[in-house]
Structure formats: C-alpha cells, structure tokens
Amino acid sequence: MKNKIRTTNRLNVSITKKVIELQEKGYDCDFLLLANNNLLCMQTNFKYPLSAVSIKQMEHGYDLFSHSYKHVHTIETGNGEKGVLLTEKAFK
C-alpha cells in the first residue's frame, strides 16, 4: 500500500512540475475545453475552435484531486496566446 501511495504522489508531482516548466517557457494562459469543442482562454475570455489552435501533448499522470488520469497539453493560438490545457482526453 505504501508503494502505491508513493507512486501516485510521484505521478501527481510530475504533472505539477510540467505545468510549472511550461509556464516558465511562456505558456502563461490557462485553457478550458468547453462542451461545444471550443477552447476558452481563462485570462482573455476568448474562445477558439479546436481546429484553429495548435495542440501538443506534453505529459500525463494521475491527478489526486479528481482521481483520474490527466493529460497536459500546450495550446498555441493564431494571435500568439500560449497556454496549458489539462484534460482527461489525450489530443494528438
């Protein structure tokens, strides 16, 4: 049981470290996937269709808060916004 807890904590830490690393590289916006398959930039309140942005998967791991696996993606928009999207679904 102790090994399982230690492994889970390590996976959660890897997600956090990756998000911090990306923020330090200029990915400073937070994106939210909406039900209509648009992305919402939380800082600017702009909405983008998935087809209008570049999405790259960067990391995945277990999230202790939601008790599910999360995928960390980078988002780059045509107008220069760069940010991070956390989802349960992997985009490729």
Side-chain angles (χ1 to χ4, degrees), residues 9-24:
N9 285 337
R10 204 172 295 134
L11 286 172
N12 200 49
V13 168
S14 73
I15 293 172
T16 304
K17 282 184 178 181
K18 181 52 84 173
V19 170
I20 291 169
E21 175 187 313
L22 291 168
Q23 288 173 337
E24 289 172 349

Side-chain angles (χ1 to χ4, degrees), residues 20-81:
I20 291 169
E21 175 187 313
L22 291 168
Q23 288 173 337
E24 289 172 349
K25 291 181 179 181
Y27 291 89
D28 53 356
C29 292
D30 300 306
F31 286 89
L32 177 65
L33 181 61
L34 302 175
N36 61 0
N37 280 330
N38 284 332
L39 292 173
L40 173 67
C41 177
M42 302 299 285
Q43 284 71 23
T44 64
N45 209 32
F46 288 148
K47 294 178 184 171
Y48 300 94
L50 289 177
S51 60
V53 299
S54 172
I55 303 174
K56 294 181 184 172
Q57 183 175 340
M58 303 304 290
E59 182 80 27
H60 70 280
Y62 192 76
D63 178 25
L64 292 172
F65 299 112
S66 66
H67 301 287
S68 63
Y69 282 91
K70 296 289 185 178
H71 299 268
V72 178
H73 302 84
T74 57
I75 305 292
E76 294 187 26
T77 69
N79 65 354
E81 289 181 339

